[in-house]
Amino acid sequence: MTESGRPRKRFEVLEVAGPSMVPTLLHGDRLLVRYGAAVRPGDVVVLRHPFQQDLLVVKRAVERRPGGSWWVLGDNPYNETGDSTVFGPVPGELVLATAVLRFRPREDAQRSLRARLSWAASALRPLWADASASSRLRAR
C-alpha cells in the first residue's frame, strides 16, 4: 500500500496458452501485465474465469456494463474457449490486470541473421487499448 492508502500497481510476466486471442496473441507469447490499472474498452485484460476462479484468462474488454461488470471477448472469432458470450458479463472485481506489452520468445531454430532480425522486429509490441477492436468485437 502507498501512503495514500491505494495499493501499489505491480507488474508481472504471464505466458499465453491457447488460441482465443489470435491474431493479437499467440500461444506461448509472454505478456507484461499491470495489476490494479484502470480498464478501458479495447484493453487486453487478465481476469479470473467466473466459473473456475483458479483459472486466469486473457480477453479483450469490450464494454463496461451497468454495475461495473465487463463484457469480454476473445479476438479469435473461430475459437470457442469461452468469453462473455458463454459466461456473460464479468464482475469488475474479477478483472485483475491490463496487458501492457507482448513479447514473443525466440525459438532455438532461429539461428540465421535474417531469422533473428525478423524476430527482433516483431517480438516486442505494446498493447494499447484498441477501440476499433472493441467496436468490431461488439458488432459480432
Side-chain angles (χ1 to χ4, degrees), residues 26-106:
L26 302 178
H27 180 81
D29 282 353
R30 305 303 194 274
L31 293 178
L32 176 65
V33 299
R34 185 176 186 187
Y35 288 91
V39 178
R40 299 174 305 193
D43 277 342
V44 174
V45 296
V46 176
L47 57 119
R48 290 196 184 283
H49 191 286
F51 302 145
Q52 296 175 272
Q53 293 194 7
D54 59 334
L55 177 65
L56 297 180
V57 294
V58 178
K59 301 294 178 193
R60 188 170 303 276
V62 176
E63 77 180 343
R64 189 174 192 104
R65 296 289 176 97
S69 61
W70 281 95
W71 191 260
V72 297
L73 296 173
D75 284 1
N76 184 347
Y78 304 106
N79 185 40
E80 298 178 8
T81 59
D83 54 25
S84 286
T85 59
V86 173
F87 48 70
V90 176
E93 62 269 10
L94 295 183
V95 179
L96 305 176
T98 57
V100 177
L101 188 70
R102 184 270 294 156
F103 59 97
R104 296 200 166 117
R106 190 174 66 80

